[in-house]
Amino acid sequence: MERQCTYCKEQIEGRVGKKFCSSYCRSAFYYQKNKEKEYSLFRKIDKQLKKNRKVLKGYNKAGLVTIRKEKLLKEGFNPKYFTHYWKNNKGQVYLFCYEYGFLNITEKQKEKYILIQWQSYMNKS
């Protein structure tokens, strides 16, 4: 019975359970298989959004707080990942991770975030 390599389809010689003709084909096959996992980027983004939400929730117990930016960054917060935004009457744009939002400000030459929670009046554009 003739067996074929799983990767290159060449004939395999050797033991009965062998799936690849060479270590190159075995390595190339698993590299290609892992490369094709589409959800890996999705999982990375989803993990960071959840991390951001957890950090914002942890520091925003009162619904409105100002905190140093560096403090959030040390906790693993990444402001590049957010789910949506809201623009207030002053034209300031708050970025949100689910129901927790943040606004980047500079106060006394220090970068800070104003943290807020989503409110029902924010639905009206």
Side-chain angles (χ1 to χ4, degrees):
M1 184 175 164
E2 192 175 305
R3 295 173 291 136
Q4 289 184 332
C5 174
T6 305
Y7 184 70
C8 72
K9 306 301 181 205
E10 291 291 325
Q11 184 178 351
I12 296 178
E13 295 178 11
R15 65 178 173 78
V16 176
K18 199 172 177 182
K19 295 181 181 180
F20 304 98
C21 64
S22 68
S23 59
Y24 171 81
C25 282
R26 182 180 62 245
S27 179
F29 174 81
Y30 285 111
Y31 174 78
Q32 189 65 34
K33 185 178 176 183
N34 289 330
K35 185 179 171 187
E36 293 173 357
K37 290 182 180 176
E38 294 177 15
Y39 61 85
S40 63
L41 177 61
F42 168 78
R43 285 188 181 188
K44 177 186 171 195
I45 293 168
D46 189 52
K47 184 178 178 182
Q48 186 61 57
L49 285 171
K50 288 176 181 175
K51 176 75 167 181
N52 283 358
R53 182 189 180 276
K54 182 180 178 182
V55 171
L56 292 172
K57 181 181 180 183
Y59 283 103
N60 192 0
K61 301 289 185 192
L64 175 65
V65 69
T66 302
I67 190 164
R68 287 190 325 258
K69 181 178 180 177
E70 67 186 52
K71 197 168 189 175
L72 293 183
L73 297 179
K74 282 183 185 177
E75 297 279 337
F77 180 79
N78 186 337
K80 293 179 183 177
Y81 292 86
F82 57 93
T83 56
H84 60 288
Y85 66 91
W86 173 71
K87 192 174 187 178
N88 67 12
N89 292 337
K90 297 178 186 176
Q92 297 169 310
V93 178
Y94 285 82
L95 304 178
F96 280 81
C97 292
Y98 305 103
E99 73 272 30
Y100 296 98
F102 61 99
L103 174 68
N104 192 19
I105 63 167
T106 303
E107 189 177 84
K108 297 181 184 176
Q109 299 176 344
K110 295 192 187 276
E111 285 197 74
K112 297 182 179 184
Y113 286 129
I114 297 175
L115 307 183
I116 62 172
Q117 271 188 286
W118 186 263
Q119 303 294 318
S120 58
Y121 70 84
M122 294 175 179
N123 286 331
K124 300 171 184 164
S125 301

mmCIF file of all heavy atoms in Angstrom, residues 49-87:
data_model
loop_
_atom_site.group_PDB
_atom_site.id
_atom_site.type_symbol
_atom_site.label_atom_id
_atom_site.label_comp_id
_atom_site.label_asym_id
_atom_site.label_seq_id
_atom_site.Cartn_x
_atom_site.Cartn_y
_atom_site.Cartn_z
ATOM 1 N N LEU A 49 -9.375 44.287 24.857
ATOM 2 C CA LEU A 49 -10.589 45.039 25.194
ATOM 3 C C LEU A 49 -11.097 44.658 26.580
ATOM 4 O O LEU A 49 -11.483 45.522 27.369
ATOM 5 C CB LEU A 49 -11.682 44.796 24.150
ATOM 6 C CG LEU A 49 -11.499 45.492 22.814
ATOM 7 C CD1 LEU A 49 -12.523 44.987 21.801
ATOM 8 C CD2 LEU A 49 -11.586 47.002 22.958
ATOM 9 N N LYS A 50 -11.080 43.378 26.875
ATOM 10 C CA LYS A 50 -11.515 42.931 28.204
ATOM 11 C C LYS A 50 -10.569 43.426 29.289
ATOM 12 O O LYS A 50 -11.016 43.805 30.376
ATOM 13 C CB LYS A 50 -11.625 41.409 28.230
ATOM 14 C CG LYS A 50 -12.819 40.904 27.446
ATOM 15 C CD LYS A 50 -12.877 39.401 27.396
ATOM 16 C CE LYS A 50 -14.078 38.938 26.579
ATOM 17 N NZ LYS A 50 -14.097 37.491 26.425
ATOM 18 N N LYS A 51 -9.280 43.439 29.003
ATOM 19 C CA LYS A 51 -8.295 43.959 29.955
ATOM 20 C C LYS A 51 -8.550 45.445 30.200
ATOM 21 O O LYS A 51 -8.547 45.909 31.345
ATOM 22 C CB LYS A 51 -6.878 43.731 29.414
ATOM 23 C CG LYS A 51 -5.771 44.308 30.243
ATOM 24 C CD LYS A 51 -5.561 43.465 31.465
ATOM 25 C CE LYS A 51 -4.256 43.839 32.140
ATOM 26 N NZ LYS A 51 -4.025 43.028 33.316
ATOM 27 N N ASN A 52 -8.749 46.203 29.128
ATOM 28 C CA ASN A 52 -9.033 47.633 29.250
ATOM 29 C C ASN A 52 -10.279 47.869 30.103
ATOM 30 O O ASN A 52 -10.283 48.732 30.980
ATOM 31 C CB ASN A 52 -9.219 48.268 27.877
ATOM 32 C CG ASN A 52 -7.911 48.504 27.158
ATOM 33 O OD1 ASN A 52 -6.830 48.241 27.676
ATOM 34 N ND2 ASN A 52 -8.008 48.977 25.930
ATOM 35 N N ARG A 53 -11.334 47.111 29.843
ATOM 36 C CA ARG A 53 -12.573 47.263 30.613
ATOM 37 C C ARG A 53 -12.332 46.987 32.086
ATOM 38 O O ARG A 53 -12.790 47.721 32.955
ATOM 39 C CB ARG A 53 -13.652 46.320 30.086
ATOM 40 C CG ARG A 53 -14.974 46.483 30.820
ATOM 41 C CD ARG A 53 -15.976 45.381 30.433
ATOM 42 N NE ARG A 53 -17.217 45.565 31.157
ATOM 43 C CZ ARG A 53 -17.422 45.123 32.395
ATOM 44 N NH1 ARG A 53 -16.468 44.485 33.054
ATOM 45 N NH2 ARG A 53 -18.583 45.331 32.989
ATOM 46 N N LYS A 54 -11.603 45.933 32.369
ATOM 47 C CA LYS A 54 -11.317 45.563 33.760
ATOM 48 C C LYS A 54 -10.541 46.670 34.481
ATOM 49 O O LYS A 54 -10.856 47.025 35.615
ATOM 50 C CB LYS A 54 -10.517 44.255 33.783
ATOM 51 C CG LYS A 54 -10.208 43.752 35.169
ATOM 52 C CD LYS A 54 -9.427 42.455 35.089
ATOM 53 C CE LYS A 54 -9.062 41.969 36.489
ATOM 54 N NZ LYS A 54 -8.262 40.749 36.443
ATOM 55 N N VAL A 55 -9.537 47.236 33.806
ATOM 56 C CA VAL A 55 -8.737 48.308 34.403
ATOM 57 C C VAL A 55 -9.598 49.548 34.634
ATOM 58 O O VAL A 55 -9.569 50.143 35.718
ATOM 59 C CB VAL A 55 -7.508 48.636 33.523
ATOM 60 C CG1 VAL A 55 -6.795 49.880 34.008
ATOM 61 C CG2 VAL A 55 -6.547 47.449 33.491
ATOM 62 N N LEU A 56 -10.371 49.949 33.630
ATOM 63 C CA LEU A 56 -11.232 51.129 33.768
ATOM 64 C C LEU A 56 -12.265 50.933 34.883
ATOM 65 O O LEU A 56 -12.496 51.832 35.689
ATOM 66 C CB LEU A 56 -11.936 51.441 32.447
ATOM 67 C CG LEU A 56 -11.041 51.933 31.311
ATOM 68 C CD1 LEU A 56 -11.832 52.023 30.011
ATOM 69 C CD2 LEU A 56 -10.392 53.254 31.648
ATOM 70 N N LYS A 57 -12.864 49.767 34.935
ATOM 71 C CA LYS A 57 -13.851 49.476 35.975
ATOM 72 C C LYS A 57 -13.210 49.526 37.361
ATOM 73 O O LYS A 57 -13.795 50.060 38.307
ATOM 74 C CB LYS A 57 -14.465 48.093 35.742
ATOM 75 C CG LYS A 57 -15.516 47.723 36.762
ATOM 76 C CD LYS A 57 -16.062 46.332 36.492
ATOM 77 C CE LYS A 57 -17.111 45.979 37.540
ATOM 78 N NZ LYS A 57 -17.614 44.618 37.347
ATOM 79 N N GLY A 58 -12.011 49.002 37.476
ATOM 80 C CA GLY A 58 -11.322 48.972 38.752
ATOM 81 C C GLY A 58 -11.004 50.348 39.318
ATOM 82 O O GLY A 58 -11.025 50.553 40.532
ATOM 83 N N TYR A 59 -10.734 51.296 38.448
ATOM 84 C CA TYR A 59 -10.386 52.647 38.894
ATOM 85 C C TYR A 59 -11.571 53.608 38.911
ATOM 86 O O TYR A 59 -11.467 54.706 39.413
ATOM 87 C CB TYR A 59 -9.265 53.230 38.029
ATOM 88 C CG TYR A 59 -7.921 52.670 38.378
ATOM 89 C CD1 TYR A 59 -7.327 51.699 37.588
ATOM 90 C CD2 TYR A 59 -7.237 53.099 39.512
ATOM 91 C CE1 TYR A 59 -6.084 51.174 37.922
ATOM 92 C CE2 TYR A 59 -6.002 52.583 39.852
ATOM 93 C CZ TYR A 59 -5.433 51.620 39.053
ATOM 94 O OH TYR A 59 -4.204 51.089 39.385
ATOM 95 N N ASN A 60 -12.688 53.198 38.337
ATOM 96 C CA ASN A 60 -13.838 54.106 38.238
ATOM 97 C C ASN A 60 -14.998 53.598 39.086
ATOM 98 O O ASN A 60 -16.017 53.166 38.564
ATOM 99 C CB ASN A 60 -14.257 54.257 36.771
ATOM 100 C CG ASN A 60 -15.237 55.382 36.583
ATOM 101 O OD1 ASN A 60 -15.617 56.059 37.527
ATOM 102 N ND2 ASN A 60 -15.668 55.575 35.355
ATOM 103 N N LYS A 61 -14.841 53.671 40.381
ATOM 104 C CA LYS A 61 -15.886 53.200 41.296
ATOM 105 C C LYS A 61 -17.025 54.215 41.451
ATOM 106 O O LYS A 61 -18.152 53.853 41.717
ATOM 107 C CB LYS A 61 -15.298 52.906 42.683
ATOM 108 C CG LYS A 61 -14.202 51.877 42.684
ATOM 109 C CD LYS A 61 -14.748 50.511 42.419
ATOM 110 C CE LYS A 61 -13.627 49.470 42.555
ATOM 111 N NZ LYS A 61 -14.005 48.190 42.054
ATOM 112 N N ALA A 62 -16.716 55.498 41.273
ATOM 113 C CA ALA A 62 -17.704 56.550 41.517
ATOM 114 C C ALA A 62 -18.447 57.002 40.257
ATOM 115 O O ALA A 62 -19.381 57.779 40.344
ATOM 116 C CB ALA A 62 -17.022 57.757 42.160
ATOM 117 N N GLY A 63 -18.038 56.552 39.081
ATOM 118 C CA GLY A 63 -18.692 56.979 37.847
ATOM 119 C C GLY A 63 -17.974 58.106 37.143
ATOM 120 O O GLY A 63 -18.171 58.339 35.966
ATOM 121 N N LEU A 64 -17.125 58.849 37.876
ATOM 122 C CA LEU A 64 -16.329 59.932 37.297
ATOM 123 C C LEU A 64 -15.073 60.093 38.156
ATOM 124 O O LEU A 64 -15.171 60.311 39.361
ATOM 125 C CB LEU A 64 -17.106 61.244 37.277
ATOM 126 C CG LEU A 64 -16.352 62.480 36.797
ATOM 127 C CD1 LEU A 64 -15.972 62.353 35.333
ATOM 128 C CD2 LEU A 64 -17.168 63.732 37.022
ATOM 129 N N VAL A 65 -13.916 59.961 37.528
ATOM 130 C CA VAL A 65 -12.649 60.075 38.260
ATOM 131 C C VAL A 65 -11.559 60.521 37.294
ATOM 132 O O VAL A 65 -11.640 60.271 36.089
ATOM 133 C CB VAL A 65 -12.281 58.726 38.936
ATOM 134 C CG1 VAL A 65 -11.915 57.669 37.915
ATOM 135 C CG2 VAL A 65 -11.168 58.879 39.942
ATOM 136 N N THR A 66 -10.549 61.220 37.816
ATOM 137 C CA THR A 66 -9.379 61.601 37.030
ATOM 138 C C THR A 66 -8.183 60.837 37.593
ATOM 139 O O THR A 66 -7.990 60.795 38.806
ATOM 140 C CB THR A 66 -9.120 63.117 37.124
ATOM 141 O OG1 THR A 66 -10.289 63.802 36.659
ATOM 142 C CG2 THR A 66 -7.950 63.523 36.253
ATOM 143 N N ILE A 67 -7.403 60.239 36.701
ATOM 144 C CA ILE A 67 -6.277 59.403 37.121
ATOM 145 C C ILE A 67 -5.099 59.602 36.177
ATOM 146 O O ILE A 67 -5.293 59.908 34.990
ATOM 147 C CB ILE A 67 -6.704 57.919 37.171
ATOM 148 C CG1 ILE A 67 -5.630 57.076 37.830
ATOM 149 C CG2 ILE A 67 -7.064 57.404 35.804
ATOM 150 C CD1 ILE A 67 -6.131 55.708 38.255
ATOM 151 N N ARG A 68 -3.887 59.448 36.689
ATOM 152 C CA ARG A 68 -2.697 59.575 35.846
ATOM 153 C C ARG A 68 -2.675 58.477 34.786
ATOM 154 O O ARG A 68 -2.944 57.310 35.069
ATOM 155 C CB ARG A 68 -1.430 59.489 36.699
ATOM 156 C CG ARG A 68 -1.176 60.718 37.539
ATOM 157 C CD ARG A 68 0.198 60.701 38.193
ATOM 158 N NE ARG A 68 0.635 59.369 38.580
ATOM 159 C CZ ARG A 68 0.605 58.895 39.835
ATOM 160 N NH1 ARG A 68 0.169 59.643 40.815
ATOM 161 N NH2 ARG A 68 1.022 57.665 40.093
ATOM 162 N N LYS A 69 -2.327 58.870 33.578
ATOM 163 C CA LYS A 69 -2.288 57.949 32.446
ATOM 164 C C LYS A 69 -1.322 56.801 32.711
ATOM 165 O O LYS A 69 -1.621 55.642 32.435
ATOM 166 C CB LYS A 69 -1.875 58.721 31.188
ATOM 167 C CG LYS A 69 -1.823 57.896 29.936
ATOM 168 C CD LYS A 69 -1.451 58.763 28.737
ATOM 169 C CE LYS A 69 -1.400 57.970 27.465
ATOM 170 N NZ LYS A 69 -1.112 58.823 26.301
ATOM 171 N N GLU A 70 -0.158 57.122 33.259
ATOM 172 C CA GLU A 70 0.874 56.099 33.489
ATOM 173 C C GLU A 70 0.397 54.992 34.421
ATOM 174 O O GLU A 70 0.800 53.840 34.287
ATOM 175 C CB GLU A 70 2.147 56.732 34.038
ATOM 176 C CG GLU A 70 2.002 57.310 35.431
ATOM 177 C CD GLU A 70 3.230 58.061 35.920
ATOM 178 O OE1 GLU A 70 3.711 58.954 35.193
ATOM 179 O OE2 GLU A 70 3.704 57.738 37.013
ATOM 180 N N LYS A 71 -0.480 55.320 35.339
ATOM 181 C CA LYS A 71 -1.000 54.328 36.278
ATOM 182 C C LYS A 71 -1.811 53.258 35.540
ATOM 183 O O LYS A 71 -1.673 52.071 35.802
ATOM 184 C CB LYS A 71 -1.848 55.013 37.346
ATOM 185 C CG LYS A 71 -2.094 54.184 38.564
ATOM 186 C CD LYS A 71 -2.670 55.039 39.673
ATOM 187 C CE LYS A 71 -2.695 54.242 40.964
ATOM 188 N NZ LYS A 71 -3.127 55.028 42.100
ATOM 189 N N LEU A 72 -2.640 53.702 34.603
ATOM 190 C CA LEU A 72 -3.432 52.751 33.813
ATOM 191 C C LEU A 72 -2.545 51.927 32.885
ATOM 192 O O LEU A 72 -2.758 50.726 32.727
ATOM 193 C CB LEU A 72 -4.497 53.476 32.997
ATOM 194 C CG LEU A 72 -5.627 54.154 33.765
ATOM 195 C CD1 LEU A 72 -6.627 54.759 32.784
ATOM 196 C CD2 LEU A 72 -6.316 53.198 34.693
ATOM 197 N N LEU A 73 -1.563 52.567 32.278
ATOM 198 C CA LEU A 73 -0.667 51.857 31.363
ATOM 199 C C LEU A 73 0.108 50.761 32.089
ATOM 200 O O LEU A 73 0.331 49.679 31.533
ATOM 201 C CB LEU A 73 0.294 52.838 30.678
ATOM 202 C CG LEU A 73 -0.361 53.891 29.784
ATOM 203 C CD1 LEU A 73 0.690 54.823 29.188
ATOM 204 C CD2 LEU A 73 -1.201 53.266 28.679
ATOM 205 N N LYS A 74 0.515 51.027 33.326
ATOM 206 C CA LYS A 74 1.227 50.011 34.117
ATOM 207 C C LYS A 74 0.356 48.791 34.385
ATOM 208 O O LYS A 74 0.860 47.692 34.571
ATOM 209 C CB LYS A 74 1.698 50.600 35.453
ATOM 210 C CG LYS A 74 2.925 51.448 35.335
ATOM 211 C CD LYS A 74 3.370 51.945 36.703
ATOM 212 C CE LYS A 74 4.543 52.897 36.568
ATOM 213 N NZ LYS A 74 4.940 53.451 37.872
ATOM 214 N N GLU A 75 -0.946 48.978 34.406
ATOM 215 C CA GLU A 75 -1.895 47.883 34.644
ATOM 216 C C GLU A 75 -2.174 47.075 33.375
ATOM 217 O O GLU A 75 -2.941 46.124 33.406
ATOM 218 C CB GLU A 75 -3.219 48.435 35.183
ATOM 219 C CG GLU A 75 -3.122 49.116 36.514
ATOM 220 C CD GLU A 75 -3.118 48.146 37.674
ATOM 221 O OE1 GLU A 75 -3.611 47.019 37.517
ATOM 222 O OE2 GLU A 75 -2.607 48.533 38.739
ATOM 223 N N GLY A 76 -1.595 47.486 32.246
ATOM 224 C CA GLY A 76 -1.818 46.781 30.991
ATOM 225 C C GLY A 76 -2.850 47.429 30.091
ATOM 226 O O GLY A 76 -3.223 46.881 29.063
ATOM 227 N N PHE A 77 -3.328 48.598 30.467
ATOM 228 C CA PHE A 77 -4.308 49.334 29.664
ATOM 229 C C PHE A 77 -3.657 49.808 28.374
ATOM 230 O O PHE A 77 -2.536 50.307 28.375
ATOM 231 C CB PHE A 77 -4.821 50.533 30.469
ATOM 232 C CG PHE A 77 -5.842 51.356 29.749
ATOM 233 C CD1 PHE A 77 -7.152 50.945 29.668
ATOM 234 C CD2 PHE A 77 -5.485 52.560 29.169
ATOM 235 C CE1 PHE A 77 -8.102 51.715 29.006
ATOM 236 C CE2 PHE A 77 -6.419 53.334 28.502
ATOM 237 C CZ PHE A 77 -7.730 52.909 28.426
ATOM 238 N N ASN A 78 -4.358 49.643 27.248
ATOM 239 C CA ASN A 78 -3.869 50.103 25.950
ATOM 240 C C ASN A 78 -4.961 50.968 25.304
ATOM 241 O O ASN A 78 -5.987 50.446 24.862
ATOM 242 C CB ASN A 78 -3.509 48.936 25.039
ATOM 243 C CG ASN A 78 -2.867 49.382 23.750
ATOM 244 O OD1 ASN A 78 -3.035 50.507 23.301
ATOM 245 N ND2 ASN A 78 -2.125 48.486 23.137
ATOM 246 N N PRO A 79 -4.755 52.299 25.245
ATOM 247 C CA PRO A 79 -5.796 53.199 24.737
ATOM 248 C C PRO A 79 -6.098 53.050 23.247
ATOM 249 O O PRO A 79 -7.074 53.617 22.757
ATOM 250 C CB PRO A 79 -5.233 54.587 25.047
ATOM 251 C CG PRO A 79 -3.761 54.398 25.110
ATOM 252 C CD PRO A 79 -3.550 53.015 25.654
ATOM 253 N N LYS A 80 -5.312 52.277 22.531
ATOM 254 C CA LYS A 80 -5.570 52.072 21.097
ATOM 255 C C LYS A 80 -6.727 51.105 20.854
ATOM 256 O O LYS A 80 -7.227 50.999 19.750
ATOM 257 C CB LYS A 80 -4.318 51.537 20.404
ATOM 258 C CG LYS A 80 -3.187 52.541 20.369
ATOM 259 C CD LYS A 80 -1.974 51.966 19.690
ATOM 260 C CE LYS A 80 -0.820 52.965 19.725
ATOM 261 N NZ LYS A 80 0.394 52.396 19.137
ATOM 262 N N TYR A 81 -7.147 50.402 21.894
ATOM 263 C CA TYR A 81 -8.222 49.427 21.770
ATOM 264 C C TYR A 81 -9.460 49.943 22.502
ATOM 265 O O TYR A 81 -9.455 50.101 23.714
ATOM 266 C CB TYR A 81 -7.793 48.075 22.349
ATOM 267 C CG TYR A 81 -6.707 47.414 21.542
ATOM 268 C CD1 TYR A 81 -5.367 47.705 21.775
ATOM 269 C CD2 TYR A 81 -7.024 46.498 20.547
ATOM 270 C CE1 TYR A 81 -4.363 47.112 21.030
ATOM 271 C CE2 TYR A 81 -6.033 45.892 19.791
ATOM 272 C CZ TYR A 81 -4.710 46.209 20.039
ATOM 273 O OH TYR A 81 -3.727 45.611 19.299
ATOM 274 N N PHE A 82 -10.514 50.195 21.742
ATOM 275 C CA PHE A 82 -11.769 50.674 22.311
ATOM 276 C C PHE A 82 -12.925 50.191 21.440
ATOM 277 O O PHE A 82 -12.725 49.822 20.285
ATOM 278 C CB PHE A 82 -11.775 52.207 22.452
ATOM 279 C CG PHE A 82 -11.540 52.950 21.179
ATOM 280 C CD1 PHE A 82 -12.604 53.366 20.396
ATOM 281 C CD2 PHE A 82 -10.245 53.236 20.753
ATOM 282 C CE1 PHE A 82 -12.390 54.055 19.209
ATOM 283 C CE2 PHE A 82 -10.026 53.925 19.567
ATOM 284 C CZ PHE A 82 -11.095 54.342 18.796
ATOM 285 N N THR A 83 -14.126 50.189 22.007
ATOM 286 C CA THR A 83 -15.286 49.650 21.288
ATOM 287 C C THR A 83 -16.096 50.715 20.561
ATOM 288 O O THR A 83 -16.684 50.438 19.522
ATOM 289 C CB THR A 83 -16.210 48.885 22.249
ATOM 290 O OG1 THR A 83 -16.593 49.754 23.324
ATOM 291 C CG2 THR A 83 -15.526 47.647 22.798
ATOM 292 N N HIS A 84 -16.163 51.923 21.121
ATOM 293 C CA HIS A 84 -16.927 53.005 20.498
ATOM 294 C C HIS A 84 -16.507 54.326 21.134
ATOM 295 O O HIS A 84 -15.655 54.345 22.024
ATOM 296 C CB HIS A 84 -18.439 52.774 20.646
ATOM 297 C CG HIS A 84 -18.923 52.691 22.051
ATOM 298 N ND1 HIS A 84 -18.672 51.612 22.872
ATOM 299 C CD2 HIS A 84 -19.643 53.557 22.808
ATOM 300 C CE1 HIS A 84 -19.227 51.818 24.058
ATOM 301 N NE2 HIS A 84 -19.814 52.995 24.040
ATOM 302 N N TYR A 85 -17.110 55.412 20.666
ATOM 303 C CA TYR A 85 -16.775 56.729 21.222
ATOM 304 C C TYR A 85 -18.036 57.556 21.402
ATOM 305 O O TYR A 85 -19.093 57.242 20.862
ATOM 306 C CB TYR A 85 -15.759 57.454 20.345
ATOM 307 C CG TYR A 85 -16.287 57.833 18.982
ATOM 308 C CD1 TYR A 85 -16.891 59.067 18.760
ATOM 309 C CD2 TYR A 85 -16.190 56.957 17.913
ATOM 310 C CE1 TYR A 85 -17.387 59.419 17.516
ATOM 311 C CE2 TYR A 85 -16.679 57.294 16.666
ATOM 312 C CZ TYR A 85 -17.277 58.517 16.475
ATOM 313 O OH TYR A 85 -17.771 58.849 15.251
ATOM 314 N N TRP A 86 -17.886 58.613 22.163
ATOM 315 C CA TRP A 86 -18.973 59.565 22.387
ATOM 316 C C TRP A 86 -18.379 60.964 22.423
ATOM 317 O O TRP A 86 -17.361 61.202 23.066
ATOM 318 C CB TRP A 86 -19.691 59.262 23.705
ATOM 319 C CG TRP A 86 -20.701 60.298 24.087
ATOM 320 C CD1 TRP A 86 -21.903 60.534 23.493
ATOM 321 C CD2 TRP A 86 -20.585 61.248 25.149
ATOM 322 N NE1 TRP A 86 -22.552 61.578 24.121
ATOM 323 C CE2 TRP A 86 -21.756 62.033 25.150
ATOM 324 C CE3 TRP A 86 -19.605 61.521 26.101
ATOM 325 C CZ2 TRP A 86 -21.972 63.062 26.056
ATOM 326 C CZ3 TRP A 86 -19.822 62.544 27.008
ATOM 327 C CH2 TRP A 86 -20.998 63.305 26.977
ATOM 328 N N LYS A 87 -19.006 61.898 21.713
ATOM 329 C CA LYS A 87 -18.551 63.282 21.656
ATOM 330 C C LYS A 87 -19.505 64.145 22.481
ATOM 331 O O LYS A 87 -20.714 64.162 22.230
ATOM 332 C CB LYS A 87 -18.532 63.751 20.198
ATOM 333 C CG LYS A 87 -17.835 65.046 19.961
ATOM 334 C CD LYS A 87 -17.765 65.309 18.452
ATOM 335 C CE LYS A 87 -16.933 66.496 18.124
ATOM 336 N NZ LYS A 87 -16.831 66.708 16.679
#
